[in-house]
Amino acid sequence: MLAFNVAQLLKEGIGATRHYELSGELYDIDEQNAGPVPVEGHLDVVRIPRGLLAQGKAHLAMAATCRRCLATYEREVDLDIEEEYVATVDVVTGYRIELAEGEDEEPELLISDHHILDTREVLRQYAVAAIIDAGLCRPDCRGICPICGADLNHESCNCHLAQVDPRLAALAGLLDSTD
Ligand SMILES: [Zn+2]
Ligand SMILES: [Zn+2]
């Protein structure tokens, strides 16, 4: 599960904790990861004055584009999660909790009216952030030849010689013409 009923935890005192196993699927992380993308992890949730503090880890494998060769590859991603969820409804009285005076109205993570702590949007956002730095398909990715566009992981080309030294290129041209 990726969403949990925290009504009981909210009734407990500050500092009360629960451990949850994260297991489920994410959708619409980005164009390459429309989903379902399986995600696994765990979450420790602590009762704090305004709601709940969720801390944990999640792991998923996403499709990513190598920034050197532009190939699509599978990237393993570990997410370190720490988020505060604010309660919207008093779990005992059922009354809506108003924002305190002077509190900004930044969109925060809210525990639903039905006391559901839903981690999916947080996981999605962390996954988006993790995949922005797309990384390399492999540590020694050779990339694409900037001149002819050859994928140098799979083929070689002769452009490099020409690029290294224009005189050699001229010589190469000369040799070609004398063939
Ligand atoms: Zn690559
Ligand atoms: Zn080339």
Side-chain angles (χ1 to χ4, degrees), residues 145-150 152 156-160:
C145 170
I147 297 163
C148 73
L152 301 176
S156 55
C157 65
N158 295 316
C159 303
H160 292 74

Side-chain angles (χ1 to χ4, degrees), residues 68-89:
R68 198 172 283 166
C69 73
L70 306 182
T72 299
Y73 70 105
E74 190 177 76
R75 174 128 177 240
E76 305 272 331
V77 175
D78 288 299
L79 308 177
D80 282 310
I81 300 148
E82 180 171 338
E83 290 293 338
E84 194 178 314
Y85 285 78
V86 176
T88 52
V89 171

Side-chain angles (χ1 to χ4, degrees), residues 132-147:
I132 282 174
D133 167 26
L136 299 177
C137 60
R138 58 188 209 211
D140 62 345
C141 171
R142 303 174 65 143
I144 290 173
C145 170
I147 297 163

Side-chain angles (χ1 to χ4, degrees), residues 60-128:
L60 63 165
M62 286 190 285
T65 301
C66 173
R67 66 178 148 82
R68 198 172 283 166
C69 73
L70 306 182
T72 299
Y73 70 105
E74 190 177 76
R75 174 128 177 240
E76 305 272 331
V77 175
D78 288 299
L79 308 177
D80 282 310
I81 300 148
E82 180 171 338
E83 290 293 338
E84 194 178 314
Y85 285 78
V86 176
T88 52
V89 171
D90 188 296
V91 71
V92 178
T93 64
Y95 289 135
R96 182 158 292 278
I97 299 169
E98 302 297 338
L99 280 175
E101 194 73 29
E103 211 165 298
D104 57 36
E105 295 194 35
E106 288 277 297
E108 300 186 69
L109 296 168
L110 301 175
I111 300 164
S112 83
D113 293 356
H114 303 288
H115 313 300
I116 303 297
L117 184 154
D118 191 338
T119 66
R120 284 173 294 190
E121 180 57 20
V122 163
L123 290 171
R124 198 189 70 77
Q125 287 179 12
Y126 275 66
V128 168

